[in-house]
Amino acid sequence: MLGLNNKDTKLLIAVAVLTLLAPFILNPFPADSAMAQFNAGYPDLMQRFVIFGIFAIGFNILFGLTGYLSFGHAAFLGIGSYAAVWIFKLFTYNVVPAIALAVIMAGLFSVVIGYVSLRRSGIYFSILTLAFAQMSFALAYSVLSNPKFNLTNGETGLQVYSGDLQMFHRDSLPDLPHLFGLSMRSTYNLDLGAWSFSFNAGYYLCAIVLMLVFYLSIRIFRSPFGLMLRAIKSNQTRMSYTGLNPRPHTLAAFVISGMYAGLAGGLMAAMDPLAGAERMQWTASGEVVLMTILGGTGTLIGPVLGAGFIKYFENIFSKINDSILHEWFAFLPDGLENFMVFIVHPFIGKGWHLTLGILFMLVVIFLPGGLVEGGQRIGKWIKNRGKAKDSGATTEPAE
Amino acid sequence: MGILEVKDVGKRFGGLQALGDVNLSVKENTVHAIIGPNGAGKSTLLNCLVGKLIPDTGSVMFDGQSVLGRSPHEINQMGISRVFQTPEIFGDLSVMENMMIPCFAKRDGSFRMRAIENTMREKDVVEKAEAMLVDMNMADKRHMNAASMSRGDKRRLEIGMCLAQEPRLLLLDEPTAGMARADTNNTIDLLKQISDERDITIAIIEHDMHVVFSLAQRITVLAQGTPLVEDNPENIKGHPKVREAYLGETAA
């Protein structure tokens, strides 16, 4: 279907089902139950799952296929956000031109940054991209926000004020980002017994965009261009001596992944019309690296899983506080209860980074292929369990 | 005029004169061997031919065009393919994918953005790569990971990848180095077959005299960066200067 083989079609359908039914899947617990804090089906978080999924899919096209590890992709995300907010300020709250400009601006910047950074490979490439991203951050944070020329509005962040031009804005349209009149914040709440599910317009826009760009990434992975990118990762010497110029290949991959990041940034601004410089900081660049590695570098679905995983834990673990812990351990004797709370305390709330770090280490050490490898191992184990009983030890032929 | 004309090529690394005034002419559709003791400058010469090094002096003409100042991929697109001493293949990719890449390079040139097309539906490339695998006798290994093959198979794949580009000149850098006797003989047979069946010129750098004398129609002996003699194998065998510089007493 759609020019894909069976396996890829199944994967695309799985992603489509998961994203479209996410409001149900992520809200498995009744709204009033104690487990409700593990629900992730509220619009704000679901939007972030999908937006960071898009960001990571794009990053994986560069890192997963060519092996070039960029530490500055958050710069393109930030550029996308600023571009989108400027559209909101000057022209209209319609998200289509905003997202389009976000992608174009990120693309232009990635041509320049990529052209310079790709003159080096390995660690030097990473450092160059990091330097560019930190320069962009510094520009956005202070240099480009002085009274004479205020492009980014510094620490406050760029946002839309009532005095802004908004040339094509009409009173009949929502005073928030909208898609031809459909506000991104409009949410339909469905109450089914004790459960409550929310369907948010902004989330569904992001979800549809995710499906489109995921489809595009499958096509790129299976294309001659994708094959060339994998060849670059495998052996650049042979690549050159096969008459292929690695440079334009890597630059094209860099620009494509930069545009994915710009798209994510534009969507972020479309969900919440403000853009801050912290979006470009190196920690944000590092986060997408973690997402990709955690999910499975070079796999199609891995980055999306990694993004969802990290964002879920960030939100859920950081929301747990000591009083919730006391509730959990209430069945223990008092001294032991306090002791357990004391032990667990560093891993929750603001300490969720500690939990993330441990999870990341475990995955890298035991599952170098990321969550995707974990899934494959479980799949194989289930398959082999039945077989092993009647035929003893069987050796699988190498595929 | 040969297909490859090397004139007065010199290359210096700091205080070391690696090559001094090398002249070499490789005739079309022959097998030309370049031999010489360690440090004679064979590999330096080869690197000057493929664009990895730029000589300090002299000129290198391939089919009437200068290769100097061009990058390796440009020189390759002119029709020179190189086989390395340790096989350079795409280890992470399957054998079939390895073979498809040079086919794409031949068809599409050094860069063409084909990001939406499905690789396996590029009929002409798939067919050509499959035919090439059959020629190389490795059709049964097409799904194998290239890195997991034996050294002899890797060498065979690398030669096949070079041939898939239909080069006019094939350069081989000690293609049998570190190989067992049986693998060496297979490689000799393969190269013989290639030079008989295809419209191709082969230039080979080799240490192993058995390989050189079974293949070459013309031999250049390099010593200390300069060519000593260029002649046919019979005369080289008996040449006193060559014996002295390279073959030693045992060759007599």
Side-chain angles (χ1 to χ4, degrees):
Chain A
M1 191 181 82
L2 297 167
L4 302 180
N5 66 26
N6 272 341
K7 218 175 128 197
D8 294 338
T9 310
K10 273 186 206 153
L11 195 61
L12 183 66
I13 291 172
V15 168
V17 170
L18 284 179
T19 47
L20 293 178
L21 298 182
F24 292 111
I25 296 165
L26 293 172
N27 259 2
F29 307 112
D32 300 327
S33 69
M35 297 297 278
Q37 59 191 322
F38 291 109
N39 281 341
Y42 48 95
D44 183 46
L45 184 55
M46 287 196 297
Q47 288 164 3
R48 250 178 296 158
F49 283 161
V50 170
I51 290 172
F52 279 94
I54 294 169
F55 189 21
I57 291 172
F59 185 77
N60 190 42
I61 290 174
L62 180 70
F63 178 51
L65 289 179
T66 70
Y68 278 75
L69 176 57
S70 162
F71 260 111
H73 257 53
F76 306 125
L77 186 96
I79 288 163
S81 286
Y82 281 119
V85 176
W86 270 111
I87 291 277
F88 295 152
K89 280 169 86 75
L90 292 181
F91 302 108
T92 164
Y93 257 134
N94 193 330
V95 296
V96 173
I99 292 171
L101 187 74
V103 174
I104 291 166
M105 288 306 292
L108 291 178
F109 273 83
S110 55
V111 168
V112 176
I113 294 178
Y115 184 82
V116 178
S117 304
L118 286 166
R119 304 184 80 83
R120 291 284 171 268
S121 60
I123 187 76
Y124 302 101
F125 168 79
S126 304
I127 297 295
L128 280 170
T129 50
L130 177 62
F132 271 113
Q134 283 303 85
M135 272 154 53
S136 313
F137 170 69
L139 282 175
Y141 195 74
S142 54
V143 182
L144 293 180
S145 89
N146 51 57
K148 275 185 201 149
F149 182 71
N150 193 353
L151 194 66
T152 60
N153 210 19
E155 303 184 49
T156 323
L158 193 65
Q159 46 190 297
V160 183
Y161 297 109
S162 52
D164 281 332
L165 188 58
Q166 296 203 288
M167 250 188 265
F168 303 107
H169 193 63
R170 278 175 287 116
D171 286 340
S172 58
L173 291 168
D175 215 14
L176 274 171
H178 61 81
L179 181 72
F180 303 108
L182 173 65
S183 167
M184 290 294 110
R185 296 252 171 101
S186 70
T187 304
Y188 170 70
N189 283 312
L190 173 71
D191 291 313
L192 280 178
W195 283 268
S196 155
F197 306 103
S198 16
F199 302 88
N200 169 262
Y203 168 73
Y204 276 100
L205 175 71
C206 294
I208 288 165
V209 173
L210 174 89
M211 282 187 274
L212 288 175
V213 299
F214 184 70
Y215 171 69
L216 182 64
S217 110
I218 299 180
R219 292 298 293 253
I220 290 175
F221 268 62
R222 303 292 181 234
S223 72
F225 175 65
L227 179 64
M228 298 303 161
L229 296 183
R230 287 193 295 140
I232 286 172
K233 185 179 186 178
S234 182
N235 189 339
Q236 275 213 35
T237 308
R238 179 36 82 200
M239 181 91 178
S240 306
Y241 288 99
T242 306
L244 294 157
N245 190 356
R247 275 274 193 80
H249 286 95
T250 44
L251 183 61
F254 192 89
V255 173
I256 291 171
S257 73
M259 288 166 85
Y260 267 73
L263 175 65
L267 282 171
M268 230 181 243
M271 297 305 113
D272 186 13
L274 62 88
E278 77 289 340
R279 234 167 245 189
M280 304 171 110
Q281 223 172 349
W282 68 273
T283 46
S285 297
E287 198 178 43
V288 73
V289 179
L290 293 191
M291 286 171 181
T292 310
I293 294 176
L294 196 67
T297 315
T299 60
L300 284 165
I301 190 77
V304 185
L305 294 180
F309 189 84
I310 287 185
K311 285 291 149 194
Y312 181 78
F313 278 94
E314 177 183 325
N315 276 274
I316 302 305
F317 274 93
S318 60
K319 265 196 313 192
I320 302 172
N321 55 31
D322 279 4
S323 62
I324 295 176
L325 284 184
H326 277 289
E327 262 173 53
W328 285 0
F329 295 116
F331 64 93
L332 294 168
D334 260 1
L336 206 52
E337 180 189 327
N338 288 335
F339 177 72
M340 286 307 291
V341 172
F342 175 75
I343 294 285
V344 180
H345 174 81
F347 296 94
I348 53 156
K350 281 180 184 162
W352 81 273
H353 278 112
L354 203 57
T355 316
L356 179 66
I358 291 169
L359 286 171
F360 186 71
M361 282 196 302
L362 290 176
V363 166
V364 169
I365 293 169
F366 295 108
L367 294 172
L371 297 175
V372 169
E373 191 189 329
Q376 283 166 348
R377 281 199 201 171
I378 293 170
K380 252 186 206 158
W381 178 74
I382 291 172
K383 246 191 206 167
N384 289 347
R385 219 172 34 150
K387 275 187 211 159
K389 269 178 194 160
D390 42 61
S391 62
T394 49
T395 40
E396 288 280 306
E399 277 177 48
Chain B
M1 272 290 271
I3 188 165
L4 182 73
E5 290 283 339
V6 177
K7 283 236 156 58
D8 303 325
V9 162
K11 180 76 193 173
R12 176 177 276 281
F13 297 112
L16 175 76
Q17 186 78 41
L19 291 177
D21 292 339
V22 175
N23 286 287
L24 180 72
S25 172
V26 178
K27 300 227 156 36
E28 202 161 357
N29 295 332
T30 58
V31 180
H32 194 125
I34 298 161
I35 63 172
N38 280 325
K42 304 182 300 286
S43 296
T44 309
L45 177 63
L46 193 65
N47 285 334
C48 288
L49 304 182
V50 294
K52 193 174 180 190
L53 290 175
I54 298 174
D56 303 330
T57 56
S59 68
V60 179
M61 303 292 275
F62 174 71
D63 198 24
Q65 278 181 300
S66 174
V67 304
L68 297 188
R70 293 178 199 254
S71 47
H73 70 264
E74 289 170 324
I75 294 174
N76 177 283
Q77 290 284 355
M78 288 167 74
I80 303 180
S81 279
R82 173 179 180 177
V83 173
F84 287 78
Q85 197 171 339
T86 22
E88 293 277 4
I89 51 172
F90 302 112
D92 304 330
L93 309 185
S94 74
V95 171
M96 179 65 180
E97 285 170 329
N98 266 274
M99 198 54 99
M100 288 175 78
I101 288 168
C103 298
F104 276 118
K106 175 72 185 169
R107 193 190 72 181
D108 295 341
S110 63
F111 172 66
R112 193 162 152 207
M113 191 76 185
R114 298 176 69 83
I116 300 298
E117 292 83 355
N118 188 325
T119 312
M120 297 317 284
R121 289 190 193 163
E122 305 277 322
K123 282 263 157 49
D124 51 335
V125 166
V126 171
E127 276 166 18
K128 188 174 165 188
E130 259 163 6
M132 205 63 222
L133 286 178
V134 172
D135 273 12
M136 289 292 119
N137 220 343
M138 32 192 2
D140 52 328
K141 301 195 170 74
R142 61 194 301 267
H143 293 300
M144 256 175 96
N145 194 306
S148 63
M149 294 195 300
S150 74
R151 184 164 182 135
D153 280 342
K154 283 181 188 166
R155 169 64 71 222
R156 189 175 273 273
L157 174 62
E158 191 188 21
I159 292 174
M161 287 163 70
C162 288
L163 292 178
Q165 294 191 277
E166 299 157 32
R168 299 184 57 202
L169 174 63
L170 182 64
L171 299 173
L172 298 115
D173 189 358
E174 300 196 24
T176 64
M179 267 189 194
R181 200 80 218 165
D183 274 342
T184 303
N185 287 333
N186 286 339
T187 308
I188 293 173
D189 292 342
L190 175 66
L191 290 173
K192 261 190 190 146
Q193 187 195 342
I194 290 166
S195 84
D196 289 345
E197 288 175 2
R198 288 168 196 267
D199 195 18
I200 195 170
T201 313
I202 296 178
I204 178 169
I205 284 180
E206 190 49 81
H207 259 317
D208 189 333
M209 287 304 116
H210 170 60
V211 178
V212 172
F213 289 117
S214 5
L215 283 172
Q217 289 142 10
R218 196 85 187 156
I219 297 176
T220 299
V221 184
L222 272 186
Q224 286 160 345
T226 44
L228 279 182
V229 220
E230 186 185 320
D231 215 326
N232 56 31
E234 288 71 39
N235 294 344
I236 292 284
K237 264 183 193 165
H239 203 288
K241 252 180 156 178
V242 178
R243 281 196 193 179
E244 187 193 316
Y246 186 66
L247 297 177
E249 297 304 309
T250 49

